[in-house]
Amino acid sequence: MPTFFASLARLLEEIASQQSRLQATTLAADFLKTLEPDEVEPAVSFILGRAFQKYSPKTLEVSWATLSGVLQRVTGADWNVFGEAFSRTGDIGDAAMAVYEKTKRQRQAVLFQTSLTLTELCRSLIAIADAEGSGSREKKERIIIALLSQASPVEAKYLVKILVGEMRTGFSEGLMEQAVAKAFEVPLGTVQRASMALGDIGEVAGIFKVQGKAGLENVSLQVFRPVELMLAQVANNVADALKEHGGETAFEFKYDGARIQIHKLGGEVQIFSRCLTDVTRSLPEIVDTVTSNVKAGEAILEGEVVAVDSGGVPIPFQHLMRRFKRVHRIEDIAKQIPLRLFLFDVLYLDGKSLLELPYVQRRQTLAKNAGKIALTSQIVTSSAEKAEPFLKDALDAGHEGLMAKKLDSPYTPGKRGKRWLKVKPVLEPLDLVITAAEWGYRRRHKWLSDYYLAARDADSGEFLEIGKTFKGLTDAEMANLTQRLQAIAVTQGGHRVVVLPKIVVEVAYNEIQRSPKYKSRMALRFARITRIREDKAAQDADTIQWVRAIYERQFAKKGRYKTAAN
Ligand code: AMP
């Protein structure tokens, strides 16, 4: 029996209103059990707010202008209703639902029509992604009209969330792993291992439904299929890092560059960015370096690329980002902005996953297989007296600080744990999301130049404002940002423009203060934007829990921190 999208929407409403994570997991597990085999994978993606599998090259490419235009057309609503609802909850799905509720009576005529099934939704989403070339906007629009004109308010809410790619029910991938384990009665560890290897819990669930337990046991890393990155937490200083790692640890320079994951099979090399998008074409010299140095037939390696000047000294990050964004005349920019690669990990070599190997052994394997490519500068020590001068060396050479890596730790994809710790000497800048912006005055009157900055609530997925700034960007950056913000604006007219939470900026500040002004009860003092994080998506932004931890640490460790401005 085909499953209706309405059932999935109802499930999501229940999950979103659940306080208990256990209960939410049980609800999702019960739902997964009822699905047909080919519905499992898309249902998991939809529940997590994705139109397609995590690493599918397909993207919807539907602008907010198109989507909001369709919503207005099919509901015939006064658009202020949307703006008001969005300003109240900050949730685009809630706002869409409010509009649908308000106009329900007029639309009753179409509501008795046939209900949308999960399979039909999949087909429509693929058709939206596949629409290309001239007339593609109209084609996409027609499909979205067909989807939204028959939707009930709650279906509209979740269709919009899937189309925008932002679910916000608080149901994370971790909980989904638990739900899959529960639904199919497999040990959680097996599900997690498979999910790490494939990088997509939807696919894991699909394989299980079709092939059973045996299917999951055979799952392994595959070249050209990006692996989620292992991430680091923060340590206050080298002594704390040593304590956390129980004595000896590997300290490495923390380079201020961009992380890349390099996949090699025979003579072919593919490179993925931090967001796991394919950036191979932008980095031809890195492809050459890897091809000529790495002799292994199959490998997945990780490293940091740094932009350098002619003397080999690192130059600011925004220059590096120009390399990543460039798709034309790459040779010219490669000459202007040369790159250096520092490798630091190997995840897979000649048919074998190395994820479970202790870090020291992975590093040794890396050293043997990297040819002449530099590895990250490293010392292994249990002594803070030795680590302190190493930190100073890193900073003197223009790098960010140190990474401390636990010697016996496996590589845990997608996890931000304590096995990797970053040690930086300044108050950590925050990666925040722009949630609204105001038009400037006088010279800046043409630009949205005052930005509201928000951190992500890891529990609810909500973006909570903690500051506002008009400082730090160049005129050209503000002009460009104005265009981008207007394209994702959800309110029209007025001095303050509320936008979809899409753009991430790195923000420096001098202090975090208590403040009644924001719902988060915290505010940044002297906030200034230090760069636009093109490489980060809203879900990679720092969390409100993390901001709170820094806030509390200010009191615990006052005096030990230099602020970035000092
Ligand atoms: P953050 O982005 O602040 O969470 O810091 C972690 C990032 O530091 C990684 O994702 C890498 O891009 C970067 N990094 C620089 N040097 C290293 C290193 N030696 N080992 C691991 N990551 C590094």
Side-chain angles (χ1 to χ4, degrees):
M1 259 252 299
T3 309
F4 293 113
F5 181 69
S7 322
L8 187 106
R10 261 196 311 275
L11 167 79
L12 286 165
E13 271 298 79
E14 281 184 68
I15 287 179
S17 65
Q18 266 304 325
Q19 293 295 331
S20 147
R21 288 173 183 217
L22 183 69
Q23 194 54 31
T25 312
T26 309
L27 287 169
D30 290 344
F31 181 79
L32 293 180
K33 277 192 237 172
T34 64
L35 300 178
E36 297 296 322
D38 57 353
E39 292 174 339
V40 172
E41 186 203 286
V44 170
S45 297
F46 295 157
I47 294 171
L48 294 171
R50 298 182 190 126
F52 305 108
Q53 263 175 273
K54 194 155 174 191
Y55 299 120
S56 163
K58 285 197 189 303
T59 50
L60 294 172
E61 303 292 344
V62 174
S63 68
W64 175 241
T66 304
L67 185 55
S68 59
V70 171
L71 285 169
Q72 290 179 60
R73 239 168 95 184
V74 301
T75 59
D78 168 5
W79 204 235
N80 287 328
V81 175
F82 186 93
E84 273 163 30
F86 187 82
S87 307
R88 229 180 11 256
T89 67
D91 185 293
I92 197 136
D94 282 344
M97 183 150 140
V99 169
Y100 269 70
E101 293 283 9
K102 194 110 191 184
T103 55
K104 205 164 161 187
R105 212 166 315 135
Q106 294 101 285
R107 292 181 310 106
Q108 214 96 56
V110 292
L111 276 180
F112 59 86
Q113 298 187 4
T114 50
S115 296
L116 179 69
T117 66
L118 291 186
T119 311
E120 284 160 357
L121 175 57
C122 277
R123 246 182 260 136
S124 298
L125 293 171
I126 291 170
I128 294 173
D130 287 349
E132 264 180 18
S134 70
S136 64
R137 189 189 148 139
E138 290 71 22
K139 186 156 183 218
K140 286 176 196 275
E141 211 169 63
R142 271 199 304 277
I143 305 168
I144 300 172
I145 290 174
L147 286 173
L148 284 171
S149 58
Q150 297 189 19
S152 67
V154 66
E155 284 177 302
K157 171 173 174 174
Y158 289 101
L159 281 173
V160 165
K161 280 171 178 264
I162 292 168
L163 290 167
V164 174
E166 204 194 302
M167 190 46 75
R168 286 218 220 166
T169 53
F171 199 75
S172 63
E173 283 190 54
L175 291 182
M176 184 55 91
E177 287 172 357
Q178 293 179 25
V180 170
K182 207 178 262 184
F184 304 123
E185 292 166 24
V186 226
L188 180 59
T190 312
V191 175
Q192 284 170 332
R193 258 193 309 283
S195 171
M196 265 184 202
L198 289 179
D200 183 31
I201 179 66
E203 191 171 352
V204 170
I207 290 178
F208 189 82
K209 181 86 183 184
V210 180
Q211 299 173 30
K213 224 188 228 164
L216 278 187
E217 270 150 17
N218 295 330
V219 156
S220 172
L221 297 190
Q222 284 166 25
V223 178
F224 300 146
R225 180 176 193 127
V227 185
E228 279 203 67
L229 306 181
M230 175 162 181
L231 300 166
Q233 288 195 16
V234 176
N236 292 327
N237 49 43
V238 294
D240 282 5
L242 284 168
K243 209 187 303 153
E244 181 63 45
H245 287 173
E248 208 168 45
T249 197
F251 286 102
E252 288 173 18
F253 279 12
K254 183 178 192 305
Y255 301 88
D256 187 11
R259 185 160 178 178
I260 53 171
Q261 192 175 82
I262 304 163
H263 290 232
K264 174 177 187 277
L265 176 65
E268 209 181 321
V269 170
Q270 215 172 330
I271 303 178
F272 297 95
S273 70
R274 196 178 191 286
C275 303
L276 305 183
T277 47
D278 188 337
V279 290
T280 316
R281 280 189 53 207
S282 311
L283 307 173
E285 74 271 51
I286 303 290
V287 173
D288 289 346
T289 308
V290 172
T291 320
S292 52
N293 281 281
V294 179
K295 300 290 172 235
E298 283 184 282
I300 303 180
L301 310 170
E302 266 186 22
E304 187 88 351
V305 277
V306 184
V308 290
D309 65 13
S310 51
V313 177
I315 58 171
F317 182 81
Q318 61 264 36
H319 298 295
L320 176 61
M321 277 301 112
R322 283 171 53 209
R323 285 292 314 263
F324 275 76
K325 274 192 277 178
R326 185 68 156 254
V327 285
H328 302 297
R329 303 218 324 273
I330 288 164
E331 286 72 24
D332 295 352
I333 198 158
K335 273 197 213 108
Q336 278 167 32
I337 307 174
L339 300 181
R340 284 206 62 191
L341 169 64
F342 298 92
L343 289 174
F344 56 73
D345 221 320
V346 51
L347 317 189
Y348 181 86
L349 197 72
D350 288 334
K352 266 214 208 96
S353 162
L354 309 185
L355 296 183
E356 314 263 339
L357 275 192
Y359 181 60
V360 255
Q361 287 183 33
R362 295 205 307 278
R363 174 92 183 189
Q364 281 160 7
T365 312
L366 179 65
K368 277 193 212 128
N369 286 280
K372 291 210 172 84
I373 306 175
L375 305 198
T376 46
S377 285
Q378 189 196 64
I379 58 166
V380 175
T381 182
S382 56
S383 143
E385 286 72 45
K386 290 218 175 95
E388 287 290 356
F390 191 59
L391 171 61
K392 188 169 179 303
D393 289 349
L395 298 172
D396 288 348
H399 306 303
E400 268 189 331
L402 296 181
M403 297 285 294
K405 298 184 180 174
K406 197 165 186 313
L407 296 175
D408 62 0
S409 58
Y411 188 99
T412 48
K415 301 262 158 10
R416 190 182 287 286
K418 293 199 159 130
R419 288 153 165 172
W420 284 11
L421 294 167
K422 40 190 172 184
V423 183
K424 295 200 229 171
V426 290
L427 255 187
E428 177 86 358
L430 291 167
D431 291 328
L432 301 175
V433 180
I434 299 180
T435 45
E438 286 175 1
W439 293 100
Y441 293 100
R442 287 186 285 276
R443 202 175 71 76
R444 296 179 169 208
H445 73 278
K446 276 199 235 133
W447 301 323
L448 285 166
S449 54
D450 205 356
Y451 309 101
Y452 285 81
L453 307 164
R456 188 168 56 83
D457 184 332
D459 296 326
S460 65
E462 201 182 339
F463 290 95
L464 296 173
E465 284 168 3
I466 55 170
K468 187 176 169 213
T469 189
F470 55 85
K471 295 206 176 100
L473 295 178
T474 63
D475 289 0
E477 283 170 326
M478 276 186 284
N480 176 274
L481 207 49
T482 302
Q483 277 183 3
R484 291 174 60 190
L485 290 167
Q486 280 180 306
I488 52 171
V490 288
T491 54
Q492 286 158 359
H495 180 56
R496 175 181 148 110
V497 177
V498 179
V499 298
L500 294 180
K502 293 271 180 209
I503 299 175
V504 181
V505 287
E506 185 186 79
V507 179
Y509 52 94
N510 288 26
E511 208 182 332
I512 304 173
Q513 297 180 317
R514 266 177 85 91
S515 165
K517 195 161 149 196
Y518 299 112
K519 189 172 156 197
S520 66
R521 319 292 294 169
M522 290 181 291
L524 300 181
R525 191 151 179 259
F526 299 126
R528 58 221 174 256
I529 297 178
T530 43
R531 60 187 175 189
I532 300 173
R533 293 292 310 235
E534 307 289 1
D535 58 330
K536 285 200 170 179
Q539 62 266 27
D540 301 321
D542 282 313
T543 61
I544 199 76
Q545 288 77 4
W546 171 234
V547 178
R548 200 162 294 127
I550 301 179
Y551 169 75
E552 278 157 14
R553 208 176 57 186
Q554 291 176 144
F555 300 105
K557 311 267 168 149
K558 203 117 198 171
R560 268 217 247 161
Y561 287 89
K562 274 197 301 167
T563 64
N566 288 337

